[in-house]
Amino acid sequence: MTGKQRGRKRNQELCIGLVRLHVLHHAAEEPIFGLGIMQELGRHGYRLGPGTIYPLLHGMERRGWLRSAKRLVNSHSRTVYTATAAGRRALTQARRQVSELFEEMCRQPPVRRR
């Protein structure tokens, strides 16, 4: 693993909570599916593979934030996820908290490197 790859992995670990919020945001708007959400996150610079996104979706479903259903798409079964009422409430609360943290972070002077 190169230094650049290690740095990207550390940043991904730091931002995984934001990824969950992004997933929940889209699932509250419309049904989502694994590959589609991987592509959406990719547009924002996240490189998540199936080994990361599917356990994340399953964990969010276990927590009660998402509900899955099977849909037939082009004669193939696809699992789609939608936000539950509990997921929507969690998203509303998280938006407030993220907004507050973001505003505080923007007010702070940048961290000095030694």
Side-chain angles (χ1 to χ4, degrees):
M1 183 180 290
T2 68
K4 188 175 183 178
Q5 289 170 323
R6 278 191 299 276
R8 189 178 298 128
K9 185 169 176 60
R10 276 194 302 268
N11 287 343
Q12 184 173 307
E13 289 173 9
L14 180 63
C15 294
I16 199 69
L18 294 174
V19 168
R20 283 188 182 93
L21 291 176
H22 197 107
V23 167
L24 197 51
H25 164 77
H26 283 283
E29 290 184 332
E30 63 185 359
I32 61 168
F33 59 99
L35 179 59
I37 201 68
M38 282 189 287
Q39 291 169 341
E40 165 60 24
L41 290 164
R43 286 190 280 278
H44 296 282
Y46 295 97
R47 292 184 178 167
L48 302 176
T52 301
I53 200 69
Y54 288 106
L56 184 135
L57 290 168
H58 297 155
M60 292 177 72
E61 185 175 22
R62 278 192 307 276
R63 287 179 180 93
W65 298 331
L66 297 177
R67 179 179 300 113
S68 67
K70 298 286 185 185
R71 293 232 178 115
L72 195 60
V73 178
N74 296 330
S75 69
H76 291 93
S77 179
R78 173 180 285 168
T79 303
V80 297
Y81 298 86
T82 55
T84 62
R88 290 172 193 277
R89 285 190 302 273
L91 180 60
T92 297
Q93 180 180 358
R95 281 181 173 141
R96 282 192 295 266
Q97 291 173 309
V98 167
S99 179
E100 181 181 316
L101 290 172
F102 179 76
E103 291 202 13
E104 181 177 322
M105 289 171 53
C106 289
R107 284 192 311 263
Q108 297 296 321
V111 176
R112 291 187 181 161
R113 290 187 163 173
R114 293 181 185 199

